Amino acid sequence: MDSEIKNFIKVWIVSIASICYCYFLVKHIPKGLTRLISLLPIFYLFIILPLELHSLHLGGPTTFYLVWLAIFKLLLFSFDQGPLSDSLTNPSNSLLHFIYIALLPIKIKQDPHPKSPSNAKSNQDPSSNSARNGQRSAFLPIKVLLLAMLFRTDNYRQYLHPYIIWGLYCCNMYLGMEVILATGAILARAILGIELEPQFNEPYLATSLQDFWGRRWNLMVTGILRPTVYGPVQGMSTRLLGRSWAPLPAVVATFLVSGLMHELIYFYLTRVSPTWEVTWFFVLQGVCTAAEVAAKKAVAGRWRLPWVVSGPITLAFVAVTGVWLFFPQITRNGVDQKAIGESQILFNFFMAGVQRTISLVRGLF
């Protein structure tokens, strides 16, 4: 574990140094192909660096941050687009600000209509945003506790029905991702003092696939795929299909890219050849979401399922298809058991630290 932590520190030192190169040098290179070429060494580094890590809790998030989010942000940066270019337009933003935006899954809260009455009222009461962020932070320990409890249920899995085990995997996936992403956001908010967009928006309240994937689930990914994949494909499709139907191929293409990136992350986690199951999972979600969008256009709001019906159907569809196509690579390669084992090590390490702290306090008094 000590060598893994050392490698983790080395990986992030190199990553930060790479972003400093972008901040001090690349931003002065003309946008377009020239700047993109200057970033190719950084892309190569970000692709190979996570291969130095083998633990799920360190290697998984690092892969997600560097290989997916950071590279996509830098692709946009090549053409003076995206969050990195936006962060340079404000002279008050520092190098630290640029590093956080580049390497962490955070998105600064934007005020699209600062002069509108509703936003003016919000600006007059800045405590409202802080209150909402405080509420999210307050729920984080509860979610950590729930995640720990879910990991502990593995000791009783022989007594549980397989469907219950798969349901617990779905809950583990959601809570684990939200805890990891929320932790990074809390650190960025504390250090930079900026308001951030939420990473998740209560996905269990989704009323449709479009609502689940587009407005509630892993909004960091949604935010980075929209300008890099959805927007360009929609622009090309508009010329071929017209404005009304152009979003459909854009939706499918976005899900396809998401599936390929998940497939790549699975390779880093398992180090085995891809089976393309997770890619097909996202292709299926994309096709069904596009069909849902087309159906909504056809009925034009004249008919809608009530939430008590559409909500459970949406979650059941995502869960069942996830059990069918998303989770098999995880269970087949023992990733789930490895994650549980690592979590137990971290839990024991944390509890040992708490006990040492209590003993120290008692010794002082």
Side-chain angles (χ1 to χ4, degrees):
M1 191 65 182
D2 290 342
S3 61
E4 181 76 359
I5 293 176
K6 291 179 181 178
N7 288 337
F8 178 75
I9 294 173
K10 291 177 182 178
V11 165
W12 280 95
I13 288 175
V14 174
S15 301
I16 293 172
S18 300
I19 297 302
C20 290
Y21 159 77
C22 298
Y23 182 82
F24 288 111
L25 296 177
V26 174
K27 71 178 183 181
H28 299 294
I29 298 175
K31 66 178 180 179
L33 183 61
T34 305
R35 185 182 293 183
L36 179 62
I37 293 174
S38 71
L39 288 171
L40 293 181
I42 307 301
F43 296 164
Y44 174 74
L45 275 176
F46 284 0
I47 290 172
I48 65 170
L49 281 174
L51 294 173
E52 299 293 323
L53 303 174
H54 300 277
S55 69
L56 297 177
H57 289 77
L58 297 180
T62 298
T63 301
F64 174 54
Y65 296 169
L66 298 184
V67 180
W68 190 345
L69 294 186
I71 288 181
F72 276 49
K73 289 176 184 177
L74 290 173
L75 282 172
L76 292 172
F77 181 60
S78 301
F79 301 94
D80 262 355
Q81 299 178 22
L84 292 178
S85 294
D86 293 341
S87 69
L88 290 177
T89 57
N90 187 348
S92 64
N93 291 339
S94 63
L95 171 62
L96 183 61
H97 184 280
F98 189 80
I99 292 173
Y100 265 87
I101 297 299
L103 296 180
L104 289 182
I106 60 175
K107 182 180 179 182
I108 298 176
K109 186 181 292 292
Q110 301 291 334
D111 188 2
H113 304 291
K115 295 183 180 181
S116 66
S118 59
N119 284 318
K121 183 178 179 181
S122 176
N123 291 336
Q124 291 173 1
D125 186 17
S127 61
S128 60
N129 287 331
S130 300
R132 285 193 293 269
N133 288 327
Q135 290 175 353
R136 296 190 186 101
S137 301
F139 281 112
L140 182 60
I142 298 175
K143 293 175 180 178
V144 172
L145 179 60
L146 289 174
L147 185 62
M149 293 172 62
L150 287 174
F151 277 124
R152 297 291 290 180
T153 59
D154 185 68
N155 297 330
Y156 309 97
R157 65 182 300 167
Q158 66 269 27
Y159 306 111
L160 301 176
H161 192 278
Y163 290 159
I164 296 178
I165 295 175
W166 287 118
L168 293 176
Y169 279 154
C170 294
C171 294
N172 277 331
M173 176 70 68
Y174 163 59
L175 289 173
M177 291 182 63
E178 181 154 17
V179 166
I180 290 172
L181 295 176
T183 302
I186 289 173
L187 291 174
R189 189 184 304 120
I191 294 175
L192 300 177
I194 53 179
E195 296 294 338
L196 302 176
E197 297 283 356
Q199 293 87 359
F200 287 86
N201 183 23
E202 299 176 327
Y204 42 83
L205 298 180
T207 58
S208 65
L209 289 176
Q210 186 182 18
D211 184 37
F212 181 89
W213 292 112
R215 305 183 188 97
R216 294 184 179 276
W217 181 264
N218 202 350
L219 300 179
M220 298 299 103
V221 167
T222 302
I224 202 65
L225 286 177
R226 186 173 287 113
T228 53
V229 182
Y230 181 88
V233 174
Q234 185 185 31
M236 292 185 292
S237 300
T238 300
R239 293 190 289 270
L240 299 174
L241 303 175
R243 184 180 299 273
S244 179
W245 298 105
L248 301 185
V251 167
V252 176
T254 302
F255 276 92
L256 173 61
V257 172
S258 180
L260 293 173
M261 294 308 301
H262 278 84
E263 202 79 58
L264 183 61
I265 292 175
Y266 271 26
F267 170 76
Y268 281 88
L269 296 179
T270 62
R271 308 298 167 91
V272 299
S273 299
T275 61
W276 308 110
E277 290 163 297
V278 70
T279 300
W280 281 113
F281 168 79
F282 281 99
V283 170
L284 177 61
Q285 299 296 320
V287 171
C288 292
T289 302
E292 180 186 278
V293 172
K296 289 179 179 178
K297 288 180 179 292
V299 300
R302 293 188 298 270
W303 181 77
R304 175 182 293 183
L305 286 173
W307 175 82
V308 294
V309 176
S310 63
I313 290 177
T314 299
L315 296 181
F317 178 79
V318 174
V320 170
T321 54
V323 170
W324 175 32
L325 294 170
F326 190 88
F327 289 109
Q329 289 189 64
I330 294 177
T331 56
R332 187 185 305 124
N333 296 287
V335 176
D336 55 334
Q337 295 303 308
K338 185 177 179 181
I340 292 170
E342 288 184 7
S343 297
Q344 187 64 49
I345 293 173
L346 291 173
F347 179 77
N348 293 336
F349 177 80
F350 174 76
M351 293 305 298
V354 171
Q355 291 175 357
R356 286 194 298 268
T357 303
I358 294 175
S359 298
L360 179 62
V361 172
R362 286 178 177 176
L364 293 175
F365 294 97

